[in-house]
Structure formats: C-alpha cells, structure tokens
Amino acid sequence: MTELTLVRRRSTLADPAEQTRMLAAAAHLPVFAESLARHGESPLTAQGIEVLQINVGKVCNQTCRHCHVDAGPDRRESMDRAVAEACLRLLRGGNIPTLDITGGAPEMNPHFRWLVAEARGLGKRVIDRCNLTILVTPAFEDLPEFLAEHSVEVVASLPCYLEENVDKQRGDHAFERSIRALRRLNELGYGLPDSPLSLSLVFNPVGPSLPPAQDRLEADYRRELRDRYGVEFTRLYTITNMPISRFLDDLLQSGKFDAYMQKLVGAFNPATVDSLMCRTTLSVDWQGNLSDCDFNQMLGLGLVPDQPRNIQGLREQDFANLFGRRIVTGRHCFGCTAGAGSSCQGSLS
Ligand code: SF4
Ligand code: SF4
C-alpha cells in the first residue's frame, strides 16, 4: 500500500473485451469509421512510425479516478527484459526517433533505467510519462537526477493547479507531493526558460467535459503555478478523457455514458484526423503485444490481422508493412477527434 489514500479500486469493467463489446454494442451511436468515410478519411492508415510508445506495466503508486490503464499498487503486470530488448531492436532497426515510456508509473519497472540509458545511447529522444508523486516516494528520490543526467523529457500529469481538484482525482496529498516534485525538477533545470530539459504538464478534465483551449489554459497554469508555488514548466498538453477503463466505469455508474459519448460525437472535428497520434505511433504493451495506440492497447485491440501480433519475433521485413498499416478504430476514437482533438502530445488543431 502506498502513502497515498487510494481514490478507487479496480475498474468493474476491467476486462478489456467486455469494454470493447460494450462500446461496439452502443448501436444508437455513430460508427467512427463511417464518420471518417463521410469526410473521405477512411480507412485510417499509418504514415510511418515516429514514436514507439511502450507501456511497461500497470504497477503504479497511485489509483487515479480516470486512469485508462486501471493501474495501481496491487497490479503485477510488468515488462520483462526480453520484451524491453525487442523494443530497443525495433527502435534501432526501424530508425524510430522517439521512445515514449508510459505505465503505470513507468519508473517502477525494474528495467526502466537500463532501457532509458540504452535508448539514449542509441541517440533516441526519450520521454518519461511521469505521475510526479513517484519522484518524492522513498526509494525513487534519486530519479530526478537520473532523468536530468540522461536528458529525458518529462511529461507529467497535473490535472489542475488547484489542490482540491487534483486530490479529488488522484488521491489525498497528491497535489502537495506533485508540487514538491516539480520544485525538485526545476532545481535541476527542468522547465526553466531556455533550458534544454523539457517539462510538460498534462491536463485532463475532472468530469465528463471536453478540455478548454490549450493555449489559454497554459497561460492560466503558468500564472497560477508561478505566483502560488514558484513552479515553472515548458508547456501544457490538454487531453480528453477517453471512454475506456476506469473513466468508462465512472460514466456508466453515474449514468453519464450516453451524454458524454454524444458530446464527443457531436464535436467530431475532421481537421484533427491528419494528426491523430496512431498515424505516427506504434504502441507496445508489457507483454510485447502491438497496438495502434495506448487506448487500443487498453481495450485489447491489436493491429489488423495481416500485421504481427507481438514485438518479439518481429523481422526487418515486417517494418515496411507496419509503417503503412491500416489502423483499428472504434467508438472510443471519437475521444481523439472531439473539438480541438486529443493525443498524448495534447490538442491536435
Ligand atoms: S498515475 Fe497515471 S498510471 Fe498511475 S493510476 Fe494515475 S493515471 Fe493511472
Ligand atoms: S483511440 Fe485515437 S489514437 Fe487510438 S486508434 Fe483511435 S483515433 Fe487513433
């Protein structure tokens, strides 16, 4: 058990296949591929791979309310060395410039530091998707120095600049611990003007609404975090809550599933389609299974059947096909195309 008060236990819809079936069975909602087709964008295909995003497991020191990974301290799923080595082989052989490491709390994977050092040794840009609180957790307190030494980009969740809202979503004391971690990162140069050490913050709405405009919210975050806490950061990403895992569970239990889905569908923005992250990303789960994105991975949706299933055993001749593969979509994809669009790198338009 962690020091944090756990907000929530596991999703009652933890079975990804059950979630996929539920979304597919919502026949009163439009089909995503048909919405794409109406705008001449179907089938959706990849345009190369710029980012290899690997989810190294579901182990986390938190249990946030809207976690799409359904992560927590009681989870045991964790990527082993053989799968991590296969990721590095693809990174090298596929000439993929960026390794994006997520979890869980990715730093809790026993191979995390080795993986970072190897990828940096290959000259790759490395992103650590960090929950901040792990940086002030005993046994991990030397992590900020490690990240700075290896010039790792930190992308950190901070769903609000107000303590009450953050603690509501992420657990008691999460905000105070996050501010402590941000100050530590600032001390090392992260997020300071003109510093090469990049510190991005991630906002997602507390409830079933779309995020506000990213640039306006970034200005609010900058002002409030600087004035209240003396904290600096590089940029803010706004991310839409996807109707999967714990957030889907929340929507169902509160009777807001239909209204939220209608909101996403009604806000479909064709201008976001060109920049959807699945078009330039390949996602790998802790066992090496391949997906078009982290969200598909959480729903147990692998690549289309003519593509490899797992990164282990991937051959060089598979690479070219992977780079132009057809992408698997579902109704959850409306979360990526609503309003200004959403991706792991924030809004799309
Ligand atoms: S910190 Fe991230 S991975 Fe961990 S429970 Fe919260 S949202 Fe999920
Ligand atoms: S959830 Fe988003 S990123 Fe994933 S396949 Fe659908 S549109 Fe692409």
Side-chain angles (χ1 to χ4, degrees), residues 108-247:
M108 293 177 82
N109 180 290
H111 309 293
F112 174 79
R113 294 185 196 218
W114 170 81
L115 186 58
V116 167
E118 291 290 316
R120 289 295 296 145
L122 293 173
K124 306 297 179 185
R125 171 185 173 215
V126 176
I127 298 171
D128 173 29
R129 294 201 176 261
C130 176
N131 67 18
L132 290 177
T133 62
I134 193 68
L135 303 181
V136 292
T137 298
F140 295 93
E141 284 165 325
D142 61 338
L143 259 172
E145 283 80 3
F146 171 84
L147 296 172
E149 274 164 25
H150 291 82
S151 301
V152 175
E153 288 187 34
V154 175
V155 177
S157 321
L158 191 72
C160 190
Y161 46 75
L162 297 176
E163 182 163 7
E164 186 189 344
N165 287 344
V166 172
D167 285 2
K168 193 168 145 201
Q169 190 179 118
R170 299 177 78 77
D172 290 348
H173 310 299
F175 185 77
E176 178 271 318
R177 289 161 56 97
S178 298
I179 294 295
R180 252 197 293 147
L182 287 170
R183 285 180 172 147
R184 183 77 200 99
L185 290 169
N186 281 171
E187 280 167 17
L188 293 165
Y190 270 105
L192 302 185
D194 301 324
S195 169
L197 294 174
S198 170
L199 169 59
S200 304
L201 300 182
V202 176
F203 162 90
N204 62 290
V206 172
S209 54
L210 292 179
Q214 188 168 274
D215 51 354
R216 217 177 48 231
L217 191 64
E218 180 179 298
D220 292 346
Y221 259 67
R222 204 173 291 291
R223 185 189 61 247
E224 295 297 323
L225 288 177
R226 186 177 284 161
D227 292 354
R228 289 170 188 244
Y229 307 104
V231 162
E232 301 287 342
F233 63 97
T234 311
R235 67 184 73 76
L236 179 79
Y237 294 139
T238 56
I239 295 187
T240 300
N241 287 318
M242 297 300 282
I244 58 178
S245 198
R246 251 175 241 163
F247 189 63

Side-chain angles (χ1 to χ4, degrees), residues 63-136:
T63 47
C64 303
R65 200 176 188 86
H66 296 160
C67 182
H68 73 268
V69 184
D70 208 16
D74 56 344
R75 303 301 297 252
R76 293 292 170 263
E77 300 89 337
S78 193
M79 183 179 282
D80 65 21
R81 182 74 166 242
V83 175
E85 280 170 356
C87 292
L88 287 170
R89 277 198 299 277
L90 176 58
L91 208 58
R92 191 190 305 113
N95 205 17
I96 299 170
T98 301
L99 177 66
D100 184 339
I101 313 176
T102 185
E107 306 87 351
M108 293 177 82
N109 180 290
H111 309 293
F112 174 79
R113 294 185 196 218
W114 170 81
L115 186 58
V116 167
E118 291 290 316
R120 289 295 296 145
L122 293 173
K124 306 297 179 185
R125 171 185 173 215
V126 176
I127 298 171
D128 173 29
R129 294 201 176 261
C130 176
N131 67 18
L132 290 177
T133 62
I134 193 68
L135 303 181
V136 292

